[in-house]
Structures are given as C-alpha cells and as structure tokens.
Amino acid sequence: TQMEKVSIDLYFPRGRSVVDPLFDGNLTTLNRLDSLLYNLPRDGQYTITVTGYTSPEGAYFDNLALGKNRAQELRRYIRLRYPFIQDVIVCDWIGEDWDKLYGMISSERMAYWQQMLYIIDNVGIFDGREKKLMDLAGGWPYKQLLANQFPDLRRVEAVIRYQSAQGEAAIAE
C-alpha cells in the first residue's frame, strides 16, 4: 500500500466564510470532494487537512479570523455530510496568503512585478507592506492585484491523504 494525496480549493467572496456552492466554480469542486469522501473506505487510513486563507486587503487579525472561519466552515460542511469523518479532520488557517501571492506575481510578471516582490521581501506585514503596495505607481498595480490575483487567495484548501493498495485505481477521479 502507499499513501495517496488529493487536494482541492474552495473559493469565497471577499470577507465571507460561508461555503457557497454557487460561487466561482465551487459546485464542481464540492461534487469532486463529495465523490472523494463518499468513496473513502470506512475502515481505511486517511486524514483531511483543511486550511483557510485570505487575500491581504484589510486588517491582518481580521484576515486571520476570516481564514479560521473559512476552514471551520468547510470542516463543518464535511462533518454534516459524512458523520463517519469526525476525528480525521485537521483544521488550520494561515490568514493572508503572501506566499501564494508572491508566486503569482513571480510567475505572471505583470507590470511592476519586481517592485512588488521587493516590497513583499523587504517590508514586514506590520510595517506597512500592504500600504507600500497600495502606493506603488499611484495604486495601479494594487488595483490589478485586487481584480486578478486576490480572488484566488480567498480560499480553503482541503488535502485528503489516504492509504491505497499499490496499483489500485485512484479514488473517484
């Protein structure tokens, strides 16, 4: 047997933590999650890690709480639908996902990308990082981040790790 891993991302509107199947492709994601969870062996070895994230706009501690609420809401969604899954769900939250934003800026190389990465690398979260990004080039790059990158940061990631016999088909792909 070997350990398999499947990951899904569920998205949220800005400032929201309620699981909304009708938002941004979530219905397809939730159907995939349901298929995965339904097909987990009841006596198998598996864990589910649910991690909540936010985009950086707004106050840091508000975003941390929002990330926590998002993770807890997906955990609650899973527990209500699959009562046999109780003790295997690990809930975590990051809040502002600067790492993913950094990767997005690096790979997309949008206008002012080097200056944005410099700010993220050299200005602390509590030392005005977001404000410096907002002020860069009259705010235009930040508005682009708001419209194009931030929505992908407002999410919960669920990672399902399960034991499977080597050579068996993956669970419900």
Side-chain angles (χ1 to χ4, degrees):
T1 62
Q2 65 182 15
M3 195 58 112
E4 302 286 338
K5 176 179 143 180
V6 177
S7 177
I8 62 108
D9 285 337
L10 190 73
Y11 294 94
F12 295 83
R14 181 179 175 184
R16 302 293 185 141
S17 61
V18 174
V19 172
D20 182 355
L22 301 179
F23 182 76
D24 197 26
N26 283 347
L27 186 58
T28 301
T29 302
L30 290 170
N31 287 338
R32 181 167 183 245
L33 178 65
D34 285 341
S35 180
L36 289 164
L37 297 178
Y38 180 79
N39 288 296
L40 283 174
R42 300 297 189 267
D43 59 351
Q45 283 188 292
Y46 51 90
T47 60
I48 301 169
T49 304
V50 176
T51 306
Y53 298 92
T54 68
S55 53
E57 78 263 43
Y60 177 82
F61 290 106
D62 292 341
N63 287 335
L64 193 60
L66 182 59
K68 177 181 179 180
N69 291 340
R70 287 176 176 167
Q72 290 176 335
E73 282 298 310
L74 184 57
R75 179 178 59 187
R76 189 172 68 74
Y77 172 91
I78 292 169
R79 285 180 169 171
L80 286 172
R81 295 175 74 89
Y82 301 94
F84 68 92
I85 298 176
Q86 294 295 322
D87 299 330
V88 299
I89 303 175
V90 176
C91 203
D92 192 14
W93 50 94
I94 303 297
E96 299 177 351
D97 195 355
W98 288 100
D99 290 339
K100 183 169 181 168
L101 180 61
Y102 191 96
M104 294 164 82
I105 293 169
S106 296
S107 65
E108 295 171 27
R109 298 192 177 206
M110 61 195 68
Y112 299 96
W113 70 276
Q114 291 172 315
Q115 293 92 328
M116 288 189 281
L117 295 182
Y118 180 85
I119 290 169
I120 293 171
D121 279 337
N122 293 288
V123 179
I125 292 171
F126 300 111
D127 297 325
R129 178 187 293 171
E130 186 181 359
K131 176 79 168 105
K132 292 258 189 214
L133 287 173
M134 291 171 137
D135 292 343
L136 177 66
W140 182 85
Y142 189 81
K143 289 176 187 167
Q144 296 304 305
L145 293 175
L146 274 170
N148 301 314
Q149 284 73 34
F150 283 11
D152 288 341
L153 303 176
R154 301 175 192 131
R155 72 192 194 289
V156 169
E157 177 187 56
V159 177
I160 303 164
R161 291 179 179 82
Y162 60 92
Q163 201 75 31
S164 72
Q166 208 164 4
E168 275 185 24
I171 293 179
E173 286 292 338

